[in-house]
Amino acid sequence: MRSDGSLSVKIAAAFGLAFLLGPLLIVLVYAFTTEERSFVWPPPGLTLKWFGVAWARPDVWAAISLSARVAAVATLLALVLGTLTAMAVARSRFFGRDAISLLVILPIALPGIITGIALRSAFATFEIPFSFWTIVVGHATFCIVVVYNNAVARLRRLSGSLVEASMDLGANSFQTFRHIVLPNVGTALLAGGMLAFALSFDEVIVTTFTAGQQQTLPLWMLEELIRPRQRPVTNVVAIAVIAVTFIPILLAFYLTGGDEQTAAAGK
């Protein structure tokens, strides 16, 4: 019975992985197709031509540059604001702490279209023109949540006696943060930053409401799918997006997974 149960679980897992990864494999195949205008299965032929075409298109590089700059700035803001908020919530007790914690995580719990409409309305109310910074603000709303969740979970595991001992030995708040708190939460912040960058780099919904006429890479891909010039180029760029988002997520997984195993071994 155990063997049958184990086999059924493995089969179910295999079907689940095929369902999730199958579309990615199709994208990979269509990046090499010789057909330019339509999706024909199986592809009539294979070629590396589209990688050179994508490399030479300035609109692709402009979109990649904008997405990378937005993701970098949004991640930096998230690391600063998310860490400070996590320290206030995890290391202090005050009236309304739970309400503040709920409000911090609310942007990632709400549908992206609600956040996008709210931000667009706010920008219109205060007559703020769409720019690089409106996109950054939109992305920072959910990037902060990712960093906050990682930081607050790690800070709650940090023994308060270490901080108290540091202060008793004459260290000021900055020295305590630098030598005690930061080394203990560093991997959590790094993992949160990587996840925030990956989420920002491929974000579509909130960006649609905050970008105006600018095109981040996901918006460029969406337009190319609607009004394609060279369909395979979109698939080539999609492979680059998969790589850019997959690597930080994988590293974040190993960083947080390793910490959990270490904590379990210590127990």
Side-chain angles (χ1 to χ4, degrees):
M1 293 297 292
R2 286 185 179 180
S3 177
D4 292 341
S6 176
L7 179 61
S8 63
V9 169
K10 291 178 180 179
I11 293 174
F15 275 109
L17 288 174
F19 178 79
L20 292 172
L21 300 180
L24 300 182
L25 295 177
I26 293 175
V27 169
L28 178 64
V29 171
Y30 277 130
F32 296 92
T33 183
T34 55
E35 175 60 44
E36 180 176 341
R37 294 294 180 183
S38 61
F39 295 119
V40 178
W41 186 264
L46 299 177
T47 179
L48 293 173
K49 165 189 173 182
W50 304 113
F51 286 84
V53 173
W55 184 271
R57 282 182 56 169
D59 57 332
V60 173
W61 286 108
I64 291 175
S65 174
L66 179 58
S67 286
R69 287 184 288 119
V70 167
V73 177
T75 300
L76 181 61
L77 286 175
L79 284 170
V80 175
L81 298 178
T83 303
L84 293 176
T85 306
M87 291 184 65
V89 170
R91 309 304 301 176
S92 305
R93 294 186 178 275
F94 53 89
F95 177 76
R97 185 179 69 163
D98 293 338
I100 290 176
S101 181
L102 176 62
L103 291 174
V104 171
I105 66 174
L106 195 59
I108 207 168
L110 289 173
I113 191 170
I114 301 299
T115 302
I117 292 173
L119 287 168
R120 190 180 185 92
S121 300
F123 295 149
T125 300
F126 294 102
E127 298 182 351
I128 300 174
F130 292 116
S131 66
F132 169 84
W133 293 105
T134 57
I135 306 176
V136 169
V137 170
H139 288 201
T141 57
F142 56 83
C143 288
I144 288 173
V145 182
V146 176
V147 175
Y148 169 82
N149 283 338
N150 276 28
V152 79
R154 184 64 56 80
L155 286 167
R156 285 173 177 167
R157 284 164 45 187
L158 177 64
S159 175
S161 60
L162 293 175
V163 176
E164 293 173 1
S166 175
M167 302 294 282
D168 289 341
L169 291 172
N172 57 35
S173 298
F174 177 75
Q175 290 172 325
T176 300
F177 174 78
R178 178 184 174 188
H179 297 290
I180 303 298
V181 177
L182 190 58
N184 282 278
V185 302
T187 53
L189 295 181
L190 183 60
M194 289 178 177
L195 289 173
F197 185 92
L199 288 174
S200 174
F201 192 83
D202 66 359
E203 210 290 321
V204 176
I205 300 176
V206 173
T207 311
T208 302
F209 290 91
T210 58
Q213 298 301 314
Q214 302 172 99
Q215 277 194 328
T216 60
L217 188 59
L219 293 185
W220 176 89
M221 294 176 66
L222 186 61
E223 182 175 342
E224 285 292 309
L225 289 173
I226 296 173
R227 294 192 297 270
R229 284 188 284 170
Q230 296 166 316
R231 286 186 184 274
V233 172
T234 309
N235 293 290
V236 170
V237 176
I239 293 175
V241 173
I242 292 170
V244 169
T245 55
F246 175 75
I247 293 173
I249 291 173
L250 182 64
L251 291 175
F253 172 79
Y254 277 108
L255 284 172
T256 55
D259 292 336
E260 290 175 359
Q261 293 174 3
T262 302
K267 292 179 181 180

